[in-house]
Amino acid sequence: MRLASLCFLLLAGCPPVGSDTGLPPPVPRPDDTDPPITGVELVVVGYNVESGDAEAATISQNVSEITGEALWGFSEVESQSWLDQFAIAAADDPSQEFGKILGTTGFSDRLGILWDNSRLELLGSVELDAINVGGTARAPLVGHFRVRENGVEFKFMVNHLWRTDDAARVQQAQMLNAWAASETLPLVAVGDYNFDWAVEGGEADHDAGYDQMVANSTWVWVRPDTLVATQCSFAFDGVLDFTFVGNNAKNWPSSSEVLFTQNVYCQDSPQKPDHRPVLATLLVPDP
């Protein structure tokens, strides 16, 4: 089933740190006088799969229910075997092949990227070791891609920021902001940021790391129209998993949504992950 539709909403930049909301101001939708936007639609998904308290088979079944995606960014991948299984599950038919990159940091809570080889060409990848504050978390994993259909290049990043160290998480967000400011290509970032954006009243109730991430409009959150808690928790009703865009990708028409919002998804068990995937649909304009 297709779980997202493209919303032609041109995102604007977020206000700097200290703003009242931390969100971009509303931008009018294109009207009939605007020239049509042509490009390549890319669906990207971020998913924390909870290594150590989930099973690859159950996660793979969830992955298989999402169709049309070109990129996956996984957090808490237990092993190469897990990522191999996810790549098979992500294929919509036997002819579709997903490339794989597994990060080297995070012990059994690694980061991983999958991409559709028929649609995207991998030009390179890197782990940003300096942003692995303390050396015991996870270095951001970045892939440099070219869209085969129109030749546009961009960088895709997956993150999982510190959960238990607030100061380290804020520092990571600051470093991600500085890294993005030094880049020239369009940027897309997914992952578990642990920014604890409250579903109700999140503008005034969220982690300081979010403000550091979006400072000076360096990153913009592709905010879902309907917010749903992305972690199954009785203690806190919040968004931990985000999709951000930077540089020219901030001008790409985009939308996002939280998947598997049914309550039954969050009935915890040793087989099921405790995060919901977040899907974003991006239109990469033709050059």
Side-chain angles (χ1 to χ4, degrees):
M1 64 178 175
R2 183 58 182 277
L3 298 177
S5 59
L6 181 61
C7 172
F8 290 95
L9 176 62
L10 298 179
L11 294 174
C14 292
V17 176
S19 65
D20 292 336
T21 67
L23 293 174
V27 178
R29 297 176 183 272
D31 58 35
D32 293 338
T33 64
D34 292 314
I37 299 173
T38 62
V40 177
E41 183 179 291
L42 291 182
V43 175
V44 304
V45 186
Y47 197 6
N48 182 327
V49 291
E50 198 188 10
S51 64
D53 195 22
E55 289 186 352
T58 301
I59 300 162
S60 295
Q61 178 59 41
N62 294 340
V63 168
S64 71
E65 294 182 23
I66 302 168
T67 61
E69 73 282 6
L71 273 167
W72 285 86
F74 291 101
S75 304
E76 294 197 21
V77 179
E78 185 173 282
S79 63
Q80 184 66 54
S81 173
W82 272 35
L83 195 63
D84 293 343
Q85 293 176 68
F86 302 159
I88 295 171
D92 296 336
D93 60 69
S95 67
Q96 189 178 25
E97 178 189 3
F98 276 82
K100 296 166 286 189
I101 307 172
L102 181 65
T104 63
T105 62
F107 305 98
S108 61
D109 287 337
R110 299 187 183 187
L111 302 175
I113 294 175
L114 300 180
W115 71 95
D116 182 348
N117 270 318
S118 68
R119 305 184 64 193
L120 298 170
E121 177 186 2
L122 178 69
L123 301 180
S125 64
V126 67
E127 292 180 274
L128 304 180
D129 291 321
I131 303 180
N132 183 8
V133 174
T136 58
R138 292 149 292 269
L141 182 60
V142 182
H144 179 184
F145 293 96
R146 177 187 292 124
V147 180
R148 294 189 187 275
E149 187 173 337
N150 66 6
V152 172
E153 295 182 23
F154 68 98
K155 290 187 176 181
F156 177 75
M157 167 187 280
V158 58
N159 285 296
H160 186 183
L161 304 193
W162 271 102
R163 168 81 274 183
T164 57
D165 188 329
D166 294 350
R169 183 173 58 253
V170 169
Q171 183 181 355
Q172 287 177 302
Q174 292 170 331
M175 297 173 79
L176 287 170
N177 184 287
W179 176 83
S182 71
E183 290 289 314
T184 57
L185 288 176
L187 304 173
V188 180
V190 303
D192 179 357
Y193 292 82
N194 285 310
F195 288 157
D196 288 338
W197 184 284
V199 169
E200 298 293 335
E203 289 80 4
D205 185 3
H206 60 265
D207 182 71
Y210 174 87
D211 297 312
Q212 299 300 324
M213 183 83 177
V214 303
N216 302 315
S217 303
T218 302
W219 292 101
V220 170
W221 178 19
V222 184
R223 178 173 173 159
D225 289 338
T226 301
L227 291 185
V228 178
T230 63
Q231 184 182 29
C232 301
S233 171
F234 294 105
F236 181 72
D237 189 27
V239 177
L240 278 65
D241 303 83
F242 293 75
T243 305
F244 291 103
V245 287
N247 291 341
N248 193 48
K250 291 185 289 187
N251 299 317
W252 295 355
S254 56
S255 65
S256 75
E257 63 177 302
V258 182
L259 305 183
F260 301 129
T261 58
Q262 306 90 334
N263 288 336
V264 68
Y265 177 85
C266 275
Q267 293 177 356
D268 194 23
S269 77
Q271 292 78 38
K272 298 168 63 176
D274 65 347
H275 281 246
R276 294 180 166 101
V278 177
L279 181 151
T281 306
L282 312 170
L283 185 69
V284 183
D286 294 329

Short mmCIF file of all heavy atoms in Angstrom, two decimals, residues 71-127:
data_model
loop_
_atom_site.label_atom_id
_atom_site.label_comp_id
_atom_site.label_asym_id
_atom_site.label_seq_id
_atom_site.Cartn_x
_atom_site.Cartn_y
_atom_site.Cartn_z
N LEU A 71 14.65 5.40 -0.47
CA LEU A 71 15.71 5.49 0.55
C LEU A 71 15.16 5.12 1.92
O LEU A 71 14.04 5.53 2.27
CB LEU A 71 16.26 6.92 0.62
CG LEU A 71 17.39 7.33 -0.31
CD1 LEU A 71 17.56 8.84 -0.29
CD2 LEU A 71 18.70 6.65 0.11
N TRP A 72 15.96 4.39 2.67
CA TRP A 72 15.66 4.09 4.06
C TRP A 72 16.84 4.54 4.91
O TRP A 72 18.00 4.34 4.55
CB TRP A 72 15.49 2.58 4.28
CG TRP A 72 14.22 1.99 3.78
CD1 TRP A 72 13.96 1.54 2.52
CD2 TRP A 72 13.03 1.75 4.54
NE1 TRP A 72 12.68 1.03 2.44
CE2 TRP A 72 12.09 1.15 3.68
CE3 TRP A 72 12.68 1.98 5.88
CZ2 TRP A 72 10.81 0.77 4.10
CZ3 TRP A 72 11.41 1.62 6.30
CH2 TRP A 72 10.49 1.02 5.42
N GLY A 73 16.52 5.12 6.08
CA GLY A 73 17.53 5.38 7.09
C GLY A 73 17.11 4.68 8.37
O GLY A 73 16.08 5.02 8.96
N PHE A 74 17.89 3.70 8.80
CA PHE A 74 17.55 2.91 9.98
C PHE A 74 18.43 3.30 11.17
O PHE A 74 19.63 3.51 11.02
CB PHE A 74 17.76 1.41 9.72
CG PHE A 74 16.78 0.81 8.75
CD1 PHE A 74 17.15 0.58 7.43
CD2 PHE A 74 15.51 0.46 9.16
CE1 PHE A 74 16.26 0.02 6.54
CE2 PHE A 74 14.61 -0.12 8.28
CZ PHE A 74 14.98 -0.34 6.96
N SER A 75 17.81 3.35 12.34
CA SER A 75 18.53 3.50 13.60
C SER A 75 18.40 2.19 14.39
O SER A 75 17.41 1.48 14.27
CB SER A 75 17.95 4.64 14.44
OG SER A 75 17.95 5.86 13.72
N GLU A 76 19.40 1.91 15.22
CA GLU A 76 19.44 0.71 16.06
C GLU A 76 19.37 -0.58 15.25
O GLU A 76 18.58 -1.48 15.53
CB GLU A 76 18.35 0.75 17.13
CG GLU A 76 18.53 1.86 18.14
CD GLU A 76 17.72 1.69 19.42
OE1 GLU A 76 17.32 0.54 19.71
OE2 GLU A 76 17.51 2.69 20.11
N VAL A 77 20.20 -0.67 14.23
CA VAL A 77 20.34 -1.90 13.46
C VAL A 77 21.30 -2.81 14.20
O VAL A 77 22.43 -2.43 14.50
CB VAL A 77 20.86 -1.61 12.04
CG1 VAL A 77 21.02 -2.91 11.25
CG2 VAL A 77 19.93 -0.64 11.32
N GLU A 78 20.87 -4.02 14.48
CA GLU A 78 21.68 -4.91 15.30
C GLU A 78 22.91 -5.46 14.58
O GLU A 78 23.98 -5.62 15.19
CB GLU A 78 20.82 -6.08 15.80
CG GLU A 78 21.53 -6.99 16.76
CD GLU A 78 20.60 -8.04 17.35
OE1 GLU A 78 19.83 -7.67 18.27
OE2 GLU A 78 20.62 -9.20 16.89
N SER A 79 22.77 -5.75 13.27
CA SER A 79 23.86 -6.43 12.58
C SER A 79 23.68 -6.29 11.07
O SER A 79 22.64 -5.84 10.58
CB SER A 79 23.87 -7.92 12.95
OG SER A 79 22.67 -8.55 12.50
N GLN A 80 24.71 -6.73 10.33
CA GLN A 80 24.60 -6.78 8.87
C GLN A 80 23.47 -7.71 8.44
O GLN A 80 22.78 -7.44 7.45
CB GLN A 80 25.92 -7.24 8.26
CG GLN A 80 25.95 -7.24 6.74
CD GLN A 80 25.87 -5.83 6.17
OE1 GLN A 80 26.66 -4.97 6.53
NE2 GLN A 80 24.91 -5.59 5.27
N SER A 81 23.28 -8.78 9.16
CA SER A 81 22.19 -9.72 8.84
C SER A 81 20.84 -9.02 8.88
O SER A 81 19.98 -9.26 8.03
CB SER A 81 22.21 -10.91 9.81
OG SER A 81 21.08 -11.73 9.61
N TRP A 82 20.65 -8.17 9.88
CA TRP A 82 19.39 -7.42 9.95
C TRP A 82 19.21 -6.55 8.70
O TRP A 82 18.16 -6.57 8.07
CB TRP A 82 19.39 -6.53 11.19
CG TRP A 82 18.86 -7.19 12.43
CD1 TRP A 82 19.00 -8.50 12.79
CD2 TRP A 82 18.10 -6.56 13.47
NE1 TRP A 82 18.39 -8.72 13.99
CE2 TRP A 82 17.84 -7.56 14.44
CE3 TRP A 82 17.66 -5.28 13.69
CZ2 TRP A 82 17.12 -7.29 15.61
CZ3 TRP A 82 16.95 -5.00 14.86
CH2 TRP A 82 16.68 -5.99 15.80
N LEU A 83 20.25 -5.79 8.34
CA LEU A 83 20.13 -4.90 7.21
C LEU A 83 19.90 -5.68 5.91
O LEU A 83 19.14 -5.24 5.04
CB LEU A 83 21.39 -4.03 7.09
CG LEU A 83 21.26 -2.80 6.19
CD1 LEU A 83 20.21 -1.83 6.71
CD2 LEU A 83 22.61 -2.09 6.06
N ASP A 84 20.54 -6.84 5.79
CA ASP A 84 20.32 -7.68 4.61
C ASP A 84 18.85 -8.09 4.50
O ASP A 84 18.27 -8.09 3.41
CB ASP A 84 21.20 -8.93 4.68
CG ASP A 84 22.69 -8.63 4.55
OD1 ASP A 84 23.03 -7.52 4.10
OD2 ASP A 84 23.49 -9.51 4.91
N GLN A 85 18.25 -8.45 5.63
CA GLN A 85 16.84 -8.84 5.61
C GLN A 85 15.94 -7.65 5.27
O GLN A 85 14.95 -7.81 4.54
CB GLN A 85 16.45 -9.44 6.97
CG GLN A 85 17.14 -10.76 7.27
CD GLN A 85 16.80 -11.28 8.66
OE1 GLN A 85 15.66 -11.66 8.93
NE2 GLN A 85 17.79 -11.29 9.54
N PHE A 86 16.27 -6.48 5.78
CA PHE A 86 15.46 -5.30 5.48
C PHE A 86 15.53 -4.95 3.99
O PHE A 86 14.54 -4.51 3.40
CB PHE A 86 15.92 -4.10 6.31
CG PHE A 86 15.88 -4.31 7.80
CD1 PHE A 86 16.65 -3.52 8.64
CD2 PHE A 86 15.09 -5.30 8.38
CE1 PHE A 86 16.63 -3.70 10.02
CE2 PHE A 86 15.06 -5.49 9.76
CZ PHE A 86 15.84 -4.68 10.57
N ALA A 87 16.71 -5.15 3.39
CA ALA A 87 16.86 -4.85 1.96
C ALA A 87 15.97 -5.76 1.12
O ALA A 87 15.36 -5.31 0.13
CB ALA A 87 18.33 -5.00 1.54
N ILE A 88 15.87 -7.01 1.49
CA ILE A 88 14.99 -7.94 0.77
C ILE A 88 13.53 -7.52 0.95
O ILE A 88 12.73 -7.50 0.00
CB ILE A 88 15.22 -9.38 1.25
CG1 ILE A 88 16.63 -9.83 0.88
CG2 ILE A 88 14.17 -10.32 0.67
CD1 ILE A 88 17.03 -11.16 1.52
N ALA A 89 13.17 -7.16 2.19
CA ALA A 89 11.79 -6.78 2.48
C ALA A 89 11.39 -5.48 1.79
O ALA A 89 10.22 -5.28 1.44
CB ALA A 89 11.59 -6.66 3.99
N ALA A 90 12.35 -4.57 1.60
CA ALA A 90 12.04 -3.27 1.00
C ALA A 90 11.70 -3.38 -0.48
O ALA A 90 11.01 -2.51 -1.02
CB ALA A 90 13.22 -2.31 1.19
N ALA A 91 12.19 -4.42 -1.16
CA ALA A 91 11.95 -4.57 -2.59
C ALA A 91 10.47 -4.84 -2.86
O ALA A 91 9.87 -5.71 -2.23
CB ALA A 91 12.81 -5.70 -3.15
N ASP A 92 9.90 -4.08 -3.79
CA ASP A 92 8.49 -4.26 -4.15
C ASP A 92 8.29 -5.44 -5.08
O ASP A 92 7.17 -5.94 -5.22
CB ASP A 92 7.94 -2.99 -4.79
CG ASP A 92 7.93 -1.81 -3.82
OD1 ASP A 92 7.90 -2.06 -2.60
OD2 ASP A 92 7.96 -0.65 -4.28
N ASP A 93 9.34 -5.88 -5.77
CA ASP A 93 9.28 -7.05 -6.62
C ASP A 93 10.69 -7.64 -6.72
O ASP A 93 11.67 -6.97 -6.36
CB ASP A 93 8.72 -6.71 -8.01
CG ASP A 93 9.56 -5.69 -8.75
OD1 ASP A 93 10.71 -6.03 -9.14
OD2 ASP A 93 9.10 -4.56 -8.94
N PRO A 94 10.83 -8.87 -7.20
CA PRO A 94 12.15 -9.52 -7.20
C PRO A 94 13.21 -8.81 -8.03
O PRO A 94 14.41 -9.02 -7.82
CB PRO A 94 11.85 -10.91 -7.77
CG PRO A 94 10.41 -11.14 -7.48
CD PRO A 94 9.76 -9.79 -7.60
N SER A 95 12.79 -7.95 -8.97
CA SER A 95 13.77 -7.27 -9.82
C SER A 95 14.37 -6.04 -9.14
O SER A 95 15.39 -5.51 -9.61
CB SER A 95 13.12 -6.85 -11.14
OG SER A 95 12.14 -5.85 -10.92
N GLN A 96 13.77 -5.57 -8.06
CA GLN A 96 14.24 -4.37 -7.38
C GLN A 96 15.35 -4.72 -6.41
O GLN A 96 15.21 -5.63 -5.59
CB GLN A 96 13.09 -3.67 -6.65
CG GLN A 96 13.44 -2.30 -6.11
CD GLN A 96 12.25 -1.64 -5.43
OE1 GLN A 96 11.34 -2.30 -4.96
NE2 GLN A 96 12.26 -0.31 -5.38
N GLU A 97 16.46 -4.00 -6.49
CA GLU A 97 17.61 -4.28 -5.63
C GLU A 97 17.96 -3.04 -4.82
O GLU A 97 18.09 -1.94 -5.38
CB GLU A 97 18.82 -4.70 -6.46
CG GLU A 97 20.07 -4.96 -5.62
CD GLU A 97 21.31 -5.17 -6.47
OE1 GLU A 97 21.21 -5.07 -7.70
OE2 GLU A 97 22.37 -5.43 -5.88
N PHE A 98 18.12 -3.22 -3.52
CA PHE A 98 18.52 -2.13 -2.65
C PHE A 98 19.98 -2.28 -2.25
O PHE A 98 20.41 -3.34 -1.80
CB PHE A 98 17.64 -2.10 -1.39
CG PHE A 98 16.34 -1.36 -1.57
CD1 PHE A 98 15.25 -1.99 -2.15
CD2 PHE A 98 16.21 -0.04 -1.19
CE1 PHE A 98 14.06 -1.33 -2.32
CE2 PHE A 98 15.03 0.65 -1.36
CZ PHE A 98 13.94 0.00 -1.93
N GLY A 99 20.74 -1.19 -2.44
CA GLY A 99 22.09 -1.14 -1.93
C GLY A 99 22.08 -0.94 -0.43
O GLY A 99 21.09 -0.47 0.16
N LYS A 100 23.20 -1.26 0.23
CA LYS A 100 23.24 -1.28 1.70
C LYS A 100 24.53 -0.64 2.21
O LYS A 100 25.61 -0.91 1.69
CB LYS A 100 23.17 -2.72 2.21
CG LYS A 100 21.89 -3.45 1.89
CD LYS A 100 22.01 -4.95 2.12
CE LYS A 100 22.83 -5.63 1.05
NZ LYS A 100 22.79 -7.11 1.14
N ILE A 101 24.40 0.19 3.24
CA ILE A 101 25.55 0.69 3.99
C ILE A 101 25.22 0.52 5.47
O ILE A 101 24.19 1.00 5.94
CB ILE A 101 25.84 2.18 3.74
CG1 ILE A 101 25.98 2.48 2.25
CG2 ILE A 101 27.10 2.61 4.49
CD1 ILE A 101 26.07 3.98 1.97
N LEU A 102 26.09 -0.14 6.21
CA LEU A 102 25.93 -0.29 7.65
C LEU A 102 27.03 0.50 8.34
O LEU A 102 28.22 0.35 8.02
CB LEU A 102 26.02 -1.76 8.06
CG LEU A 102 25.84 -2.05 9.55
CD1 LEU A 102 24.44 -1.69 10.02
CD2 LEU A 102 26.14 -3.52 9.85
N GLY A 103 26.66 1.35 9.27
CA GLY A 103 27.64 2.11 10.03
C GLY A 103 28.50 1.21 10.89
O GLY A 103 28.11 0.08 11.22
N THR A 104 29.63 1.73 11.29
CA THR A 104 30.57 0.94 12.09
C THR A 104 30.54 1.30 13.58
O THR A 104 31.20 0.65 14.38
CB THR A 104 32.02 1.14 11.58
OG1 THR A 104 32.38 2.52 11.74
CG2 THR A 104 32.13 0.76 10.12
N THR A 105 29.76 2.33 13.95
CA THR A 105 29.73 2.77 15.34
C THR A 105 28.38 2.44 15.97
O THR A 105 27.39 2.21 15.28
CB THR A 105 29.97 4.29 15.44
OG1 THR A 105 28.92 5.00 14.76
CG2 THR A 105 31.30 4.67 14.80
N GLY A 106 28.35 2.44 17.31
CA GLY A 106 27.11 2.17 18.00
C GLY A 106 26.98 0.75 18.51
O GLY A 106 25.90 0.37 18.98
N PHE A 107 28.05 -0.05 18.38
CA PHE A 107 28.03 -1.44 18.87
C PHE A 107 26.90 -2.21 18.17
O PHE A 107 26.95 -2.39 16.97
CB PHE A 107 27.93 -1.46 20.40
CG PHE A 107 29.02 -0.66 21.07
CD1 PHE A 107 28.80 0.64 21.50
CD2 PHE A 107 30.29 -1.20 21.21
CE1 PHE A 107 29.81 1.38 22.09
CE2 PHE A 107 31.32 -0.47 21.81
CZ PHE A 107 31.07 0.82 22.24
N SER A 108 25.87 -2.65 18.90
CA SER A 108 24.75 -3.34 18.27
C SER A 108 23.57 -2.41 18.00
O SER A 108 22.47 -2.87 17.69
CB SER A 108 24.29 -4.52 19.12
OG SER A 108 23.85 -4.07 20.39
N ASP A 109 23.79 -1.12 18.13
CA ASP A 109 22.77 -0.09 17.81
C ASP A 109 23.31 0.77 16.68
O ASP A 109 23.54 1.97 16.84
CB ASP A 109 22.46 0.78 19.03
CG ASP A 109 21.65 0.06 20.08
OD1 ASP A 109 20.97 -0.92 19.73
OD2 ASP A 109 21.69 0.48 21.25
N ARG A 110 23.50 0.17 15.52
CA ARG A 110 24.14 0.88 14.42
C ARG A 110 23.14 1.61 13.54
O ARG A 110 21.93 1.42 13.65
CB ARG A 110 24.95 -0.11 13.57
CG ARG A 110 26.07 -0.80 14.33
CD ARG A 110 26.93 -1.63 13.40
NE ARG A 110 27.96 -2.36 14.12
CZ ARG A 110 28.93 -3.06 13.54
NH1 ARG A 110 28.98 -3.14 12.22
NH2 ARG A 110 29.81 -3.70 14.26
N LEU A 111 23.68 2.44 12.66
CA LEU A 111 22.88 3.13 11.66
C LEU A 111 23.03 2.42 10.32
O LEU A 111 24.07 1.80 10.04
CB LEU A 111 23.35 4.58 11.52
CG LEU A 111 23.31 5.42 12.80
CD1 LEU A 111 23.92 6.80 12.55
CD2 LEU A 111 21.89 5.56 13.32
N GLY A 112 21.99 2.49 9.49
CA GLY A 112 22.04 1.85 8.20
C GLY A 112 21.27 2.62 7.15
O GLY A 112 20.29 3.30 7.46
N ILE A 113 21.72 2.51 5.91
CA ILE A 113 21.06 3.14 4.76
C ILE A 113 20.79 2.08 3.71
O ILE A 113 21.65 1.24 3.42
CB ILE A 113 21.92 4.27 4.15
CG1 ILE A 113 22.08 5.43 5.14
CG2 ILE A 113 21.33 4.77 2.83
CD1 ILE A 113 23.02 6.53 4.65
N LEU A 114 19.59 2.11 3.15
CA LEU A 114 19.23 1.33 1.96
C LEU A 114 18.82 2.29 0.87
O LEU A 114 18.18 3.31 1.14
CB LEU A 114 18.06 0.38 2.24
CG LEU A 114 18.20 -0.68 3.33
CD1 LEU A 114 16.91 -1.49 3.42
CD2 LEU A 114 19.38 -1.60 3.05
N TRP A 115 19.16 1.97 -0.39
CA TRP A 115 18.72 2.80 -1.50
C TRP A 115 18.40 1.93 -2.71
O TRP A 115 19.00 0.87 -2.91
CB TRP A 115 19.77 3.85 -1.88
CG TRP A 115 21.01 3.29 -2.53
CD1 TRP A 115 21.28 3.20 -3.87
CD2 TRP A 115 22.16 2.74 -1.87
NE1 TRP A 115 22.52 2.63 -4.09
CE2 TRP A 115 23.08 2.34 -2.88
CE3 TRP A 115 22.51 2.54 -0.53
CZ2 TRP A 115 24.31 1.75 -2.58
CZ3 TRP A 115 23.73 1.95 -0.23
CH2 TRP A 115 24.60 1.57 -1.25
N ASP A 116 17.43 2.39 -3.48
CA ASP A 116 17.00 1.69 -4.69
C ASP A 116 18.03 1.95 -5.79
O ASP A 116 18.14 3.07 -6.30
CB ASP A 116 15.62 2.19 -5.11
CG ASP A 116 15.06 1.49 -6.34
OD1 ASP A 116 15.82 0.77 -7.02
OD2 ASP A 116 13.86 1.68 -6.63
N ASN A 117 18.78 0.91 -6.16
CA ASN A 117 19.85 1.06 -7.15
C ASN A 117 19.34 1.50 -8.52
O ASN A 117 20.08 2.12 -9.29
CB ASN A 117 20.60 -0.26 -7.30
CG ASN A 117 21.78 -0.36 -6.34
OD1 ASN A 117 22.51 0.59 -6.14
ND2 ASN A 117 21.93 -1.53 -5.72
N SER A 118 18.11 1.19 -8.84
CA SER A 118 17.59 1.55 -10.15
C SER A 118 17.27 3.04 -10.25
O SER A 118 17.19 3.59 -11.35
CB SER A 118 16.34 0.74 -10.48
OG SER A 118 15.26 1.11 -9.64
N ARG A 119 17.11 3.70 -9.12
CA ARG A 119 16.72 5.11 -9.11
C ARG A 119 17.84 6.03 -8.63
O ARG A 119 17.86 7.21 -8.98
CB ARG A 119 15.48 5.29 -8.23
CG ARG A 119 14.31 4.41 -8.64
CD ARG A 119 13.08 4.70 -7.83
NE ARG A 119 12.62 6.05 -8.07
CZ ARG A 119 11.71 6.67 -7.30
NH1 ARG A 119 11.21 6.07 -6.26
NH2 ARG A 119 11.34 7.89 -7.60
N LEU A 120 18.75 5.50 -7.82
CA LEU A 120 19.78 6.31 -7.22
C LEU A 120 21.14 5.67 -7.41
O LEU A 120 21.29 4.45 -7.28
CB LEU A 120 19.53 6.50 -5.72
CG LEU A 120 18.23 7.21 -5.31
CD1 LEU A 120 18.02 7.10 -3.81
CD2 LEU A 120 18.25 8.66 -5.75
N GLU A 121 22.14 6.50 -7.70
CA GLU A 121 23.51 6.04 -7.81
C GLU A 121 24.29 6.54 -6.60
O GLU A 121 24.31 7.75 -6.32
CB GLU A 121 24.15 6.59 -9.09
CG GLU A 121 25.62 6.21 -9.26
CD GLU A 121 26.26 6.88 -10.46
OE1 GLU A 121 25.58 7.68 -11.15
OE2 GLU A 121 27.46 6.62 -10.69
N LEU A 122 24.94 5.63 -5.90
CA LEU A 122 25.77 6.01 -4.76
C LEU A 122 27.11 6.52 -5.26
O LEU A 122 27.84 5.81 -5.96
CB LEU A 122 25.97 4.82 -3.82
CG LEU A 122 26.86 5.09 -2.61
CD1 LEU A 122 26.20 6.03 -1.63
CD2 LEU A 122 27.25 3.77 -1.93
N LEU A 123 27.46 7.75 -4.89
CA LEU A 123 28.74 8.34 -5.28
C LEU A 123 29.77 8.28 -4.17
O LEU A 123 30.96 8.47 -4.42
CB LEU A 123 28.52 9.80 -5.70
CG LEU A 123 27.55 10.02 -6.87
CD1 LEU A 123 27.42 11.50 -7.17
CD2 LEU A 123 27.99 9.25 -8.11
N GLY A 124 29.33 8.01 -2.95
CA GLY A 124 30.26 7.92 -1.84
C GLY A 124 29.51 7.92 -0.52
O GLY A 124 28.31 8.21 -0.46
N SER A 125 30.21 7.56 0.55
CA SER A 125 29.60 7.57 1.87
C SER A 125 30.67 7.88 2.91
O SER A 125 31.87 7.68 2.68
CB SER A 125 28.93 6.23 2.18
OG SER A 125 29.88 5.18 2.25
N VAL A 126 30.21 8.37 4.07
CA VAL A 126 31.14 8.74 5.13
C VAL A 126 30.41 8.68 6.46
O VAL A 126 29.18 8.86 6.53
CB VAL A 126 31.71 10.16 4.88
CG1 VAL A 126 30.62 11.21 5.01
CG2 VAL A 126 32.86 10.46 5.83
N GLU A 127 31.16 8.40 7.52
CA GLU A 127 30.66 8.54 8.88
C GLU A 127 31.31 9.77 9.49
O GLU A 127 32.54 9.94 9.40
CB GLU A 127 30.98 7.30 9.71
CG GLU A 127 30.21 6.07 9.28
CD GLU A 127 30.55 4.85 10.12
OE1 GLU A 127 31.54 4.16 9.78
OE2 GLU A 127 29.85 4.58 11.12
#
